[in-house]
Amino acid sequence: MTLEQRTWVPAMVPWRASDDGFVTEEVLDWYGRFARGRPGAIVVEATGIRDVPSGPLLRIGHDRFLPGLRQLVERVRQESGGHTRLLIQIIDFLGIRRRPERSKYLERFLQVNDRHRQALGDPALSDDAVRERLLALDDDQLQQVLSEREWESLTMGQRERVTDTHLPHIAELPLVLPELFASAAQRARDAGFDGVELHYAHAYTMASFLSATNTREDGYGGPLENRLRLPLEVFAAVRERVGREFPVGCRFLSEECIEGGNTLEDSTRIGVALAQAGMDYLSLSRGGKFDDAKQPKVGEAAYPYTGVSGFECMPGYIADEFGPFGRNVEPTAAIRSAIRGAGLAIPVVVAGGIHTFTQAETLLAEEKADIIGIARQALADPDWFEKVRSGCGGQVRMCEYTNYCEGLDQKHKQVTCNLWDRLELDEPGVRRSRDNKRRLTAPEWRRE
Ligand SMILES: Cc1cc2nc3c(=O)[nH]c(=O)nc-3n(C[C@H](O)[C@H](O)[C@H](O)COP(=O)(O)O)c2cc1C
Ligand code: SF4
């Protein structure tokens, strides 16, 4: 695969798939709009590899999704005049529930056991009596009685981890994931995508296997070589299925930015191992973990972009003195340099707060990265690439890093940018959000 230019729109979920995971007209419009700006490559949003209901998340876990995905490939080809390469990011994730109401959790969800009876000082209590006693406790007392995980389920919402190996479906992840990823990658190839990106980043299953917090004791956790085992087995299965000619890359974290998480040293070893295994590119993100997510409101789910690690992933304009720009550059450059040191030439994509031509060009000239990922700036102005290329950089609608778009993502609302979503609303043919208040794609650029 050859890119016409070293620009890249990283995966961004816009919440436009149908409730059963199919490509919709809105999905086609969204990617078609990016394609008109003609970036070097676009990576389609995180797309679920399992054939299970996942709300309006795009899916690729069955052949019935193929016709829609083919249309998507065709649309991007047409709108970019064949100039933009199209990849798709494929993802697995574990279960997470919304934060429950206190009373509901204690009356219904909590599984009462002897530990609770002991803590309450009466081994003869019935389940109902335990629940009643727990309901009457204040928060401090309740926290003493519940286990750490139960307290977390109550205050944050229940969340599965790759270390929950007492649950059969978690224990068997190493058995099922290689095949699930391989089948999804094959569908990506059959649909006509130019390549596939394995999602090994942020808060999701594969990143959790790679994480230093993974203490599984079945050979897939603990020391780094064990944590790498499943990601490498998944990649081997994908490669075997799609063949050497089909580009397969992955996105992973330059640093997890959480206590006890992967440091740059871990990630450098991970990067070299993935490159040695034969990945065709590596795309670096950072942070974005559940571990330090803020407490959600009752009825809402934890969102992995709310804590310090979330800020590192999608830095906003309210920042420390370093500011929101290019926070991922130096760690990415270090990983790239180690990969080059190991004699491997694979391209490395950097992303995170990159928004001006000068900044992007300097990173390339200084060999900090090989390809420049521009996510929110491309959302703010999908014509960034065409404007910069044609000498109209002064007309770029600059991202203000307010994270209004991220707020919509958090609520699973159709993602738009506040710099354009109320402009020219009455233009004929403009598709609007469900609440009818916002346009779903940026207005066309009329050259001044
Ligand atoms: C609305 C939204 C959705 C995102 N969805 C994904 C995703 O599906 N997969 C992924 O790897 N990153 C996702 N990201 C993170 C971006 O790809 C990117 O890494 C991040 O926004 C930082 O780059 P930027 O500063 O250029 O925006 C998303 C970001 C936003 C704003
Ligand atoms: S909503 Fe804000 S952060 Fe998001 S793309 Fe637009 S200007 Fe940038």
Side-chain angles (χ1 to χ4, degrees):
M1 176 169 73
T2 305
L3 305 190
E4 285 192 12
Q5 52 167 306
R6 291 165 182 265
T7 53
W8 183 276
V9 180
M12 276 184 283
V13 171
W15 299 110
R16 278 162 175 62
S18 67
D19 283 339
D20 39 11
F22 285 93
V23 169
T24 58
E25 285 298 324
E26 283 86 357
V27 171
L28 298 176
D29 283 355
W30 172 260
Y31 289 103
R33 186 66 190 85
F34 282 110
R36 287 205 282 288
R38 300 191 176 182
I42 298 172
V43 184
V44 168
E45 67 207 73
T47 302
I49 59 173
R50 293 183 192 246
D51 196 10
V52 293
S54 325
L57 184 86
L58 202 60
R59 284 163 57 187
I60 192 169
H62 187 275
D63 286 351
R64 69 179 179 282
F65 297 109
L66 276 174
L69 293 167
R70 281 197 187 107
Q71 270 183 299
L72 176 52
V73 168
E74 191 44 42
R75 181 70 167 266
V76 167
R77 218 156 262 160
Q78 266 173 17
E79 301 273 14
S80 74
H83 292 283
T84 295
R85 303 272 73 82
L86 187 68
L87 300 96
I88 185 165
Q89 184 181 63
I90 56 177
I91 185 172
D92 186 58
F93 49 90
L94 301 181
I96 176 162
R97 289 174 188 243
R98 292 160 209 260
R99 179 180 159 198
E101 278 173 28
R102 190 182 197 271
S103 55
K104 249 194 207 157
Y105 177 77
L106 296 175
E107 282 163 5
R108 301 225 307 258
F109 303 143
L110 177 72
Q111 291 186 339
V112 172
N113 59 38
D114 286 345
R115 212 178 21 75
H116 301 130
R117 290 186 181 85
Q118 258 166 26
L120 292 169
D122 185 349
L125 287 174
S126 69
D127 281 11
D128 283 348
V130 170
R131 291 183 196 284
E132 230 169 83
R133 298 268 292 269
L134 294 178
L135 274 164
L137 299 179
D138 67 28
D139 276 356
D140 286 344
Q141 293 165 327
L142 184 60
Q143 193 172 3
Q144 300 304 315
V145 177
L146 298 184
S147 70
E148 215 175 293
R149 280 299 283 281
E150 288 163 348
W151 180 251
E152 183 196 277
S153 298
L154 168 64
T155 54
M156 298 289 292
Q158 190 184 326
R159 176 170 66 82
E160 292 175 346
R161 290 165 166 73
V162 295
T163 43
D164 291 339
T165 45
H166 58 283
L167 303 171
H169 69 282
I170 303 273
E172 70 175 15
L173 286 169
L175 293 176
V176 300
L177 285 179
E179 168 58 29
L180 284 170
F181 271 99
S183 300
Q186 182 176 359
R187 282 185 203 104
R189 194 189 62 182
D190 293 347
F193 284 93
D194 296 300
V196 71
E197 177 168 291
L198 310 179
H199 198 343
Y200 288 2
H202 306 150
Y204 311 108
T205 313
M206 297 306 293
S208 304
F209 270 92
L210 282 173
S211 174
T213 61
N214 169 13
T215 52
R216 280 177 75 115
E217 289 175 352
D218 59 350
Y220 288 94
L224 186 56
E225 53 276 23
N226 288 3
R227 280 148 42 210
L228 266 162
R229 202 167 140 202
L230 184 59
L232 292 174
E233 287 176 3
V234 163
F235 173 61
V238 167
R239 176 62 82 209
E240 195 186 328
R241 190 70 64 83
V242 297
R244 185 58 223 139
E245 299 308 311
F246 188 66
V248 181
C250 89
R251 195 164 207 217
F252 75 106
L253 297 173
S254 63
E255 287 170 283
E256 285 194 288
C257 310
I258 49 167
E259 215 183 301
N262 285 345
T263 59
L264 180 56
E265 200 185 321
D266 296 304
S267 304
T268 303
R269 286 174 61 198
I270 292 170
V272 171
L274 295 172
Q276 274 167 343
M279 287 271 182
D280 290 309
Y281 73 87
L282 296 176
S283 172
L284 272 304
S285 180
R286 63 193 272 107
K289 309 294 293 183
F290 279 121
D291 307 61
D292 64 347
K294 282 204 182 117
Q295 183 181 36
K297 290 189 189 135
V298 170
E300 291 181 7
Y303 182 64
Y305 308 100
T306 45
V308 169
S309 73
F311 171 80
E312 291 295 338
C313 185
M314 293 185 222
Y317 74 98
I318 301 173
D320 56 20
E321 61 192 24
F322 188 90
F325 305 120
R327 297 179 82 94
N328 200 24
V329 167
E330 291 311 323
T332 298
I335 293 170
R336 181 182 178 278
S337 151
I339 291 171
R340 292 291 177 274
L344 299 153
I346 71 163
V348 172
V349 187
V350 65
I354 302 175
H355 68 141
T356 69
F357 168 75
T358 312
Q359 185 191 13
E361 188 63 17
T362 307
L363 297 179
L364 293 176
E366 291 177 352
E367 299 197 15
K368 304 265 186 192
D370 304 289
I371 299 170
I372 305 297
I374 297 177
R376 285 167 297 173
Q377 179 55 64
L379 170 52
D381 191 346
D383 299 311
W384 187 96
F385 311 91
E386 196 57 29
K387 286 178 179 172
V388 162
R389 193 166 38 237
S390 59
C392 300
Q395 293 177 39
V396 165
R397 192 190 302 112
M398 298 301 285
C399 173
E400 293 173 355
Y401 296 100
T402 53
N403 280 344
Y404 161 89
C405 49
E406 186 201 25
L408 292 166
D409 173 51
Q410 177 169 8
K411 293 197 162 69
H412 295 193
K413 282 188 172 177
Q414 293 152 301
V415 172
T416 51
C417 169
N418 63 330
L419 299 181
W420 52 250
D421 65 3
R422 316 269 161 154
L423 298 179
E424 300 169 45
L425 266 179
D426 294 327
E427 212 184 326
V430 165
R431 239 187 261 279
R432 295 199 191 186
S433 57
R434 263 172 242 122
D435 58 10
N436 211 30
K437 290 188 180 148
R438 299 176 288 131
R439 59 183 300 148
L440 288 178
T441 51
E444 292 309 308
W445 174 39
R446 294 178 199 95
R447 281 170 205 250
E448 286 159 14

